[in-house]
Amino acid sequence: MTNPSRIDARFAALAAEGRPGLVTFITAGDPDLATSAEILAALPAAGADVIELGMPFTDPMADGPAIQASSLRALNHGMTLAKTLELVRGFRAKDSATPLILMGYYNPIFSFGCERFLEAAAAAGVDGLIVVDLPPEADDELCVPAKAHGISFIRLATPTTDERRLPSVLANTAGFVYYVSIAGITGTAAPDVASVGRAVARIKAHTDLPVAVGFGVKSPEQAAAIGGTADAVVVGSAIVQALTDSLDADLRPTAATLGAVTDLVSRLAAGVRRARAA
């Protein structure tokens, strides 16, 4: 069993520091496997407290254009779920502290085989799973087995998750709760800070788990504002777009690619670090 407390330990450390965390998202294999591994390895030093690694999928229902395109780039370069787990193994061989969460959709996991996937993910050093299209009613499919492998299953709550639905969402959630700050797909609208604050308070009335807020956070200023009430701020589309903007006309990495990502992550990290002082 991999270390089941890596996420808990990181959030406890953040609480002790009195600041929110920065959760960064990239897509595994984007724009290619070697570059993706280089970026993944550089994220903690740039300021990522927790890393979400997207599992490329052809038909994502919650991802906006930037992340959809990143998945297609990765798949066009032959990325697979098995290679995603190899990427995790390579990262974990050099970093034993940073929590790493796989985020994606159920179809590739089901095709891979749930038990085979969980055994491989635990062995590789995966700490958590976010599977967007598996509702609480299907917890026996993957959520409960994941917990048996020491992998936290992180559930999303949204602006439309009401008081009747919230207990079901939280029932088997571990690590943290991911609050989706907008009603829509990733990266398409800016979150309303006041509404997010009220939503975080409402969720915290039901659970002791940390609450991370994502979808729509693009700038250090937004990260600082959201971090005023959230335990962590999740940034995905903006980081993927920074990577995209660094590619050449054939969508291949350039000398600027790594720096484009790490520079933005460093600025976002500075934003969350000043959140509680703002």
Side-chain angles (χ1 to χ4, degrees):
M1 180 181 296
T2 54
N3 185 351
S5 63
R6 203 176 271 132
I7 299 173
D8 296 340
R10 179 54 52 95
F11 275 100
L14 291 168
E17 290 181 42
R19 68 170 180 88
L22 175 64
V23 183
T24 61
F25 173 96
I26 62 169
T27 298
D30 177 37
D32 56 51
L33 183 57
T35 306
S36 184
E38 187 179 19
I39 293 170
L40 183 61
L43 288 175
D49 296 300
V50 178
I51 296 173
E52 286 181 18
L53 187 61
M55 297 178 280
F57 182 50
T58 52
D59 304 296
M61 67 174 67
D63 297 324
I67 295 178
Q68 287 183 31
S70 73
S71 275
L72 291 178
R73 284 195 297 270
L75 292 169
N76 287 338
H77 281 92
M79 200 62 189
T80 64
L81 189 50
K83 290 181 180 178
T84 298
L85 294 171
E86 289 178 18
L87 193 61
V88 175
R89 275 193 293 273
F91 172 81
R92 190 56 76 210
K94 298 178 181 177
D95 187 318
S96 61
T98 306
L100 194 150
I101 296 155
L102 293 181
M103 182 172 186
Y105 298 84
Y106 187 47
N107 185 288
I109 296 171
F110 180 79
S111 298
F112 194 88
C114 290
E115 186 61 25
R116 178 186 170 212
F117 168 76
L118 291 172
E119 289 177 359
V126 170
D127 300 295
L129 288 177
I130 300 174
V131 182
V132 176
D133 53 349
L134 262 186
E137 288 75 13
D139 272 0
D140 288 344
E141 292 273 332
L142 189 67
C143 172
V144 173
K147 294 178 73 172
H149 283 274
I151 297 174
S152 298
F153 200 88
I154 297 149
R155 191 81 69 190
L156 275 65
T158 74
T160 59
T161 304
D162 61 20
E163 296 297 315
R164 292 181 58 189
R165 182 64 172 167
L166 191 55
S168 297
V169 170
L170 298 175
N172 287 312
T173 295
F176 62 90
V177 181
Y178 188 142
Y179 179 67
V180 176
S181 61
I182 59 171
I185 56 177
T186 58
T188 55
D192 178 79
V193 174
S195 296
V196 167
R198 289 192 293 271
V200 169
R202 183 170 67 88
I203 294 170
K204 282 183 169 292
H206 290 266
T207 180
D208 292 330
L209 289 170
V211 179
V213 176
F215 278 46
V217 181
K218 296 182 178 180
S219 69
E221 292 74 22
Q222 288 175 316
I226 297 297
T229 55
D231 296 297
V233 182
V234 187
V235 184
S237 293
I239 294 172
V240 171
Q241 189 60 52
L243 183 154
T244 304
D245 293 343
S246 75
L247 303 179
D248 68 16
D250 296 318
L251 301 180
R252 292 176 301 199
T254 66
T257 297
L258 178 62
V261 173
T262 56
D263 176 67
L264 177 57
V265 171
S266 294
R267 289 187 287 115
L268 291 164
V272 299
R273 280 166 172 74
R274 66 173 180 268
R276 302 289 165 80

